[in-house]
Amino acid sequence: MKRRKFLATATAAVGLPLLTTNQSNAQLESLSPMSPANSHFDAIVLGVGSMGSATVWQLAQRGHRVLGIEQFDISHDQGSHAGQSRIIRQSYFEHPDYVPLLQRSYSNLAAFEKETGAKIFHKAGVLYFGKRGNELTAGVEKSANIYKLPIQKPGHQEAARQFPSFAIPADFDIIFEPDAGFMTPERTILTYTEEAIRLGATIQTKESVQSWKQEGNLIRVITDKGEYTADKLIITAGGWAPHLIPQLKQELTVTKQMIMWVNPKSWKPFAYGNFPCWIMEDPERGSYYGFPIVPTKEFGGPLGLKLAHHQHGEVTDARNVNRAVTPGTEEDLMSILRKYIPEAVGSILSLKSCLYTNSKDQNFIIDYLPGSDKRVTIATGFSGHGFKFVPVVGEILADLAMKGKTELPIGFLGINRIK
Ligand SMILES: Cc1cc2nc3c(=O)[nH]c(=O)nc-3n(C[C@H](O)[C@H](O)[C@H](O)COP(=O)(O)OP(=O)(O)OC[C@H]3O[C@@H](n4cnc5c(N)ncnc54)[C@H](O)[C@@H]3O)c2cc1C
């Protein structure tokens, strides 16, 4: 392919403007097609989605020769990151051990935003509620107490004044985490990848890894378009991980999750600025969550008020997902609105599906692949709560791959707990 035509293809695939001849040769070389001179890399990142994009950026900014391979576009709707918004919070009800990682994620994200000028984190607060004694609010309080994180426990009258759109039963506990909010996943991934390219990373899109193998000190990666070698391999393949890490096939379950956007009669009470993110535990039906309405001119679509059920959906295979709306989704989500946010009830504007890659204990798996002599690092099993960790997972994976260790406390996420 002619050089300029290739560049047009490569840059279009990642949503970047075509580089001009005035731009540096280094930038141009970084996007050049595979050739004997550049088919060997310090590290290959398999899957440039949520975790992979931050990892590619971390490696590039540390000066490593890195190749990121993505089977679709940079940011797409076939994996785990589509859908406009992801909640980010620190008083982690799932387990307090995640809090130091979240603190690092917040600071990494703030530094990245400052450096790039990109706006990725949006403070909206998170309102948690559940029947007295529920695990959700108990877990939030536990993490907040251990790490002295700011949370508020408004009484019912105060909550009704501060959050008038919610109808919270009198026997529910209520907590508000003011420093929480949401991230924009598509922009996060695009910005990390764009910055990585500017720093010299090679990104191959619409190229699917078929297999990989370790040959002594060398990793060989075979794609549908060619072959590459590297000193290190980092697998950040989301829902496709069971196919690429055979050792974990029995340990991971991929589920299809539905997300819905509705059209309340009045949008003002639910607009970003007036309405928080929320997570609630219904005594009969489990955990639900939602977001304020965001202006599409700034955030893109879909339109309306977003909510979802955190309970695992139907088991699927990322290679062959039935994208039809799971029966019962509309009524399940609408009935939660009727019960707890009645003014939000309205027509359905959009329904989309997305993938969770669940580990058996719902904790992430971040470690070296056993037997790989620290040459293969894996990050998987994000179990529907991983996005807020993207800025710290990139750092951890770059540390593990290139330094042989990380100072960040990830012992509880090791593969030994399951194998
Ligand atoms: C509906 C929904 C709501 C969520 N809400 C939240 C939330 O509010 N807060 C939160 O923190 N988290 C949330 N999550 C979880 C979070 O989005 C995921 O944990 C995170 O996106 C997982 O990132 P990943 O990198 O593992 O997967 P992905 O972002 O899907 O990236 C994996 C990439 O690898 C690529 N790939 C796979 N195989 C190959 C191959 N063979 N060759 C080349 N490329 C390949 C894929 O195409 C993909 O781009 C939610 C998830 C869903 C589905």
Side-chain angles (χ1 to χ4, degrees):
M1 196 189 300
K2 284 229 161 37
R3 181 176 187 77
R4 197 163 169 81
K5 186 162 173 235
F6 170 80
L7 287 172
T9 314
T11 51
V14 294
L16 293 173
L18 179 61
L19 295 172
T20 67
T21 45
N22 291 337
Q23 285 170 293
S24 74
N25 281 341
Q27 273 176 299
L28 293 173
E29 285 310 319
S30 74
L31 285 168
S32 62
M34 192 181 75
S35 70
N38 69 2
S39 63
H40 183 82
F41 295 84
D42 297 338
I44 293 177
V45 177
L46 196 176
V48 188
S50 316
M51 308 302 162
S53 61
T55 308
V56 168
W57 176 75
Q58 280 279 348
L59 290 165
Q61 64 133 12
R62 295 178 193 195
H64 298 296
R65 279 169 55 81
V66 54
L67 166 67
I69 308 176
E70 171 53 50
Q71 62 186 340
F72 301 121
D73 288 348
I74 299 302
S75 177
H76 58 84
D77 62 4
Q78 304 295 300
S80 300
H81 59 255
Q84 196 178 51
S85 46
R86 292 288 185 269
I87 293 177
I88 174 165
R89 53 196 161 84
Q90 288 190 50
S91 292
Y92 220 54
F93 64 83
E94 288 87 342
H95 201 285
D97 284 355
Y98 283 102
V99 175
L101 299 179
L102 285 162
Q103 290 173 323
R104 184 69 172 194
S105 205
Y106 265 70
S107 62
N108 281 1
L109 183 54
F112 184 68
E113 286 187 317
K114 195 168 172 203
E115 194 177 320
T116 59
K119 183 83 182 125
I120 291 170
F121 169 67
H122 300 270
K123 189 168 160 175
V126 172
L127 185 68
Y128 306 90
F129 53 100
K131 200 176 167 106
R132 199 155 299 134
N134 74 90
E135 287 182 7
L136 168 71
T137 54
V140 170
E141 199 166 0
K142 184 174 176 189
S143 282
N145 286 342
I146 294 173
Y147 288 97
K148 308 212 175 335
L149 301 169
I151 55 165
Q152 298 161 9
K153 292 174 70 182
H156 279 261
Q157 269 187 354
E158 175 55 21
R161 198 191 58 73
Q162 234 183 309
F163 309 106
S165 303
F166 291 87
I168 303 178
D171 59 346
F172 273 39
D173 290 330
I174 307 172
I175 296 181
F176 183 61
E177 181 179 347
D179 293 338
F182 62 94
M183 294 168 74
T184 46
E186 293 89 351
R187 187 176 302 160
T188 305
I189 292 168
L190 280 168
T191 311
Y192 272 122
T193 310
E194 180 175 357
E195 291 303 311
I197 288 173
R198 289 192 203 292
L199 289 165
T202 302
I203 302 293
Q204 297 288 111
T205 58
K206 299 196 188 315
E207 181 162 350
S208 169
V209 173
Q210 309 294 297
S211 63
W212 63 269
K213 57 186 168 187
Q214 187 167 353
E215 298 168 354
N217 289 344
L218 197 76
I219 304 290
R220 188 174 300 279
V221 173
I222 295 117
T223 75
D224 55 353
K225 297 196 177 146
E227 211 172 291
Y228 309 88
T229 57
D231 298 338
K232 302 289 168 64
L233 174 66
I234 301 171
I235 304 180
T236 47
W240 290 260
H243 296 291
L244 292 153
I245 315 170
Q247 294 92 322
L248 289 183
K249 209 173 171 76
Q250 304 305 321
E251 305 297 328
L252 299 171
T253 307
V254 178
T255 54
K256 180 176 90 171
Q257 305 296 136
M258 298 304 306
I259 324 167
M260 187 164 89
W261 284 259
V262 300
N263 182 10
K265 271 191 225 64
S266 167
W267 283 29
K268 200 170 168 204
F270 303 103
Y272 174 44
N274 297 336
F275 186 76
C277 297
W278 56 274
I279 304 176
M280 65 89 39
E281 185 74 30
D282 179 78
E284 278 85 44
R285 307 209 333 248
S287 179
Y288 294 78
Y289 60 92
F291 298 80
I293 297 177
V294 292
T296 53
K297 62 178 180 293
E298 194 184 333
F299 292 88
L303 278 174
L305 184 85
K306 174 181 168 182
L307 77 156
H309 195 164
H310 184 54
Q311 175 183 287
H312 293 171
E314 62 191 54
V315 174
T316 188
D317 179 335
R319 287 180 173 174
N320 185 25
V321 180
N322 167 11
R323 295 279 170 186
V325 173
T326 306
T329 302
E330 296 96 323
E331 180 47 27
D332 175 38
L333 295 173
M334 210 53 98
S335 67
I336 283 299
L337 287 184
R338 278 198 293 273
K339 205 165 164 187
Y340 300 106
I341 318 178
E343 295 297 313
V345 172
S347 58
I348 295 169
L349 287 170
S350 194
L351 275 156
K352 292 194 179 293
S353 62
C354 190
L355 304 179
Y356 281 1
T357 308
N358 304 290
S359 69
K360 285 189 174 154
D361 63 6
Q362 306 305 305
N363 290 310
F364 314 155
I365 302 169
I366 303 181
D367 209 336
Y368 297 108
L369 194 63
S372 72
D373 194 23
K374 293 191 172 182
R375 293 201 169 266
V376 182
T377 307
I378 56 169
T380 185
F382 288 98
S383 307
H385 62 115
F387 202 88
K388 62 186 80 61
F389 295 87
V390 162
V392 69
V393 169
E395 179 183 6
I396 291 166
L397 296 179
D399 282 352
L400 290 176
M402 308 318 286
K403 290 186 181 168
K405 62 175 181 165
T406 183
E407 302 303 325
L408 289 156
I410 57 160
F412 70 112
L413 304 175
I415 199 167
N416 279 342
R417 76 183 195 274
I418 51 172
K419 295 297 266 187

